[in-house]
Amino acid sequence: MFRAKRTIALSAVAACAALVAAACGSSGSSSPSSSGSSGSSVPQLSFTSFNLTFSAMKQLKAIAPKGKGNVAVILPDTVSSTRYVEFDAPYLKKSMQLAGLSSSQIVVQNALGSDATEYSDAQADITKGASVLIMDPLDSGVGARIESYAKSHGVPVVDYDRLTLGGSRKYYVSFNNVQVGTLLGQGLVKCISDWKVAKPQVMVMRGAPTDNNATLFFQGYNTVLQPLFANKTYTDVANPAGTWDPPTALTEFQAAYTAHPTINAVLMPNDENGAPIIHYLQTKGIKAGTFPVTGQDATLTGLQNVISGYQCGTVYKPIYLEAQAAVALAMYLRAGVTPPSALVNGTAEDVTSKVQVPSILLKPEWVTPSTVQSTVIKDGFVPASQLCAGSFAADCTKYGISG
C-alpha cells in the first residue's frame, strides 16, 4: 500500500539501459558505473533470481567491498499491515547480512505512522553514514522531502513498496499493483459466480484516498467490474471514501449496508479492513458461501476467513521477493555500479515530475482455499498450526492444509 493522491501508470516493460543509467548514484559518487555491470566481478541478478532460500543474496558479496557506508531502511508503520514487523524487517536484515554487510552497516527502522519520525530518521541515517536509503514512505509529501534531502547529500533512494511522487534519484521496488487490483476484481467475479449470488449488489470499498497504491488497485479492479456495472449484470451500490483503518472501514460499511440492505458482495482491497465487516455480517446471520468479500495481504485472519467460506480469496505478495530485490538494488548502488537490466524489469511513471522511474515489478498471487497449502503454507508465511487452530481444523482437513 502507498499513500499518495495521484495516479502512477505502471508498465511492465523491460527497462532500457539508458533509463537505468540516468538513475541515482551512490553516496560520494556521481552515477553508477555502467562499465561495472558487465565486469566479471559483478553478479548479474535478474528479477527472477530471488526465492525462499535467499541464495541470490550471497552472490552480492562480490560487490560488498566495492561500497562504503550503511544501508538504512525506514518502514512506515505497524498498523496498516502486520507485515512490516513480521516479515519486511527480518527479511530485509537477512538479505543484507547474506549480501555481505556487517551488523554495523545495517539499519532497519519503523516510523510508527509518523511523518515527522520518518523524516528525522532519514536525516539521522544519512548523518550517521547511510550511503543508500530504502524507504517505504508514509505519504508522498514526506517521501518527496526525504528524497530531496537525500539528493542534497548524494544519497540514492530505493522506494520500497510505494512510489514517492515528485521525488528524484530513485528506483522503485514493488509488486505490480494494477495486477493486484485485477486479481481482486477477477476473484470477486468468480466468487459471485461460484457462490451463485443472485442479482449482485456490489459495494466497492477503496483504500485510503491519500494512498497511490489504492489508486492503482482501483485501476485494476475497475477494469474488471466497470463493464459488468455498465451492462447491468452487477449493480454498483456504494463507494465510500476509503481508508486503511479497520474500524473506519467497518463504520463505512455499516452506514452503506443500513442504507442499502440489498448489498450482497464487497470488493475489499485489504484483509484487515475486511475482517470486522465479515464478523459484523456473521452477527447478522450471513452464512458461509453466500456473501463474497475479497482481501489482500494473506493475513492469518484473512486466510481463516478464506478457508471458512466468508472471504473469496486474498492477494498474496511474497515479501521475501520484495525484500531481496530492494537489497540487491541497494548493494549495486552502494558499490557504484548500474543494476543489471534483467533485474530492473519495468518502469513506473512519476506523474508529478513526468519521469519514468526504473522499477522492479514483482508478480502477486491470488490465493483461494485450494491454493493455501501451495503458497502461504509452503512459504512459511503463515504456520499451519496457527491457521488450523480451533474451529478451523475441519476447514484445513477439507482443503488438505497441514504444516
Side-chain angles (χ1 to χ4, degrees):
M1 296 178 291
F2 169 72
R3 302 166 177 84
K5 296 183 179 179
R6 302 197 182 188
T7 302
I8 299 171
L10 290 179
S11 172
V13 298
C16 67
L19 176 62
V20 175
C24 46
S26 65
S27 177
S29 65
S30 55
S31 60
S33 168
S34 58
S35 62
S37 63
S38 60
S40 59
S41 63
V42 177
Q44 297 296 294
L45 300 185
S46 78
F47 76 100
T48 61
S49 295
F50 312 113
N51 56 45
L52 196 56
T53 70
F54 288 70
S55 58
M57 294 293 98
K58 297 177 183 179
Q59 298 180 46
L60 295 166
K61 284 185 175 181
I63 58 173
K66 296 177 181 292
K68 62 179 180 179
N70 308 328
V71 174
V73 178
I74 309 177
L75 299 172
D77 60 57
T78 59
V79 176
S80 64
S81 178
T82 59
R83 57 169 281 187
Y84 298 115
V85 174
E86 295 179 6
F87 299 102
D88 293 88
Y91 285 157
L92 287 159
K93 289 179 181 177
K94 179 177 181 178
S95 296
M96 287 189 277
Q97 289 168 345
L98 292 174
L101 296 184
S102 66
S103 58
S104 64
Q105 295 171 322
I106 297 171
V107 179
V108 179
Q109 301 160 304
N110 193 297
L112 301 176
S114 167
D115 280 3
T117 298
E118 190 157 32
Y119 185 64
S120 63
D121 282 347
Q123 289 179 305
D125 291 338
I126 291 171
T127 298
K128 295 175 182 178
S131 55
V132 182
L133 190 64
I134 299 174
M135 172 187 62
D136 190 339
L138 276 159
D139 56 59
S140 79
V142 70
R145 288 177 65 207
I146 290 172
E147 287 185 5
S148 177
Y149 184 85
K151 179 181 180 181
S152 70
H153 288 76
V155 176
V157 175
V158 175
D159 278 358
Y160 180 77
D161 200 51
R162 323 173 194 211
L163 181 61
T164 294
L165 299 181
S168 60
R169 293 177 60 79
K170 63 188 175 186
Y171 284 82
Y172 176 48
V173 178
S174 186
F175 288 84
N176 187 324
N177 289 313
V178 174
Q179 187 178 6
V180 168
T182 300
L183 292 175
L184 288 165
Q186 293 171 341
L188 184 67
V189 169
K190 188 174 190 308
C191 207
I192 286 173
S193 174
D194 290 349
W195 292 8
K196 297 178 171 54
V197 178
K199 299 180 179 180
Q201 307 291 300
V202 182
M203 181 176 178
V204 178
M205 302 189 73
R206 301 179 66 162
T210 55
D211 182 342
N212 194 73
N213 273 6
T215 299
L216 297 176
F217 302 152
F218 173 79
Q219 289 179 12
Y221 57 71
N222 191 56
T223 299
V224 176
L225 297 180
Q226 189 55 45
L228 297 170
F229 293 145
N231 66 18
K232 309 300 183 183
T233 301
Y234 293 0
T235 300
D236 186 3
V237 178
N239 297 266
T243 180
W244 290 130
D245 177 60
T248 303
L250 177 59
T251 298
E252 288 182 342
F253 176 81
Q254 289 173 323
Y257 193 55
T258 298
H260 307 281
T262 59
I263 291 172
N264 56 16
V266 174
L267 189 293
M268 172 61 70
N270 178 265
D271 289 351
E272 297 299 314
N273 279 10
I277 292 170
I278 289 171
H279 178 71
Y280 173 77
L281 290 172
Q282 290 170 336
T283 67
K284 296 295 183 181
I286 300 296
K287 303 299 182 184
T290 63
F291 194 118
V293 178
T294 60
Q296 178 186 180
D297 285 339
T299 66
L300 174 61
T301 300
L303 289 165
Q304 289 177 330
N305 284 329
V306 168
I307 64 175
S308 61
Y310 288 96
Q311 185 171 312
C312 302
T314 183
V315 178
Y316 171 49
K317 297 176 291 189
I319 297 169
Y320 59 85
L321 300 179
E322 191 173 17
Q324 291 175 76
V327 170
L329 273 178
M331 294 299 292
Y332 285 115
L333 296 173
R334 181 176 176 273
V337 297
T338 300
S341 58
L343 175 64
V344 184
N345 69 321
T347 62
E349 183 185 5
D350 181 335
V351 296
T352 299
S353 62
K354 304 301 182 184
V355 170
Q356 294 293 324
V357 180
S359 305
I360 301 177
L361 301 177
L362 303 164
K363 184 180 179 181
E365 301 178 58
W366 179 247
V367 174
T368 62
S370 62
T371 60
V372 167
Q373 180 67 35
S374 62
T375 54
V376 294
I377 298 299
K378 176 181 70 66
D379 286 354
F381 192 73
V382 172
S385 59
Q386 294 182 20
L387 180 64
C388 302
S391 63
F392 299 102
D395 299 313
C396 286
T397 299
K398 177 180 178 180
Y399 294 109
I401 300 169
S402 62

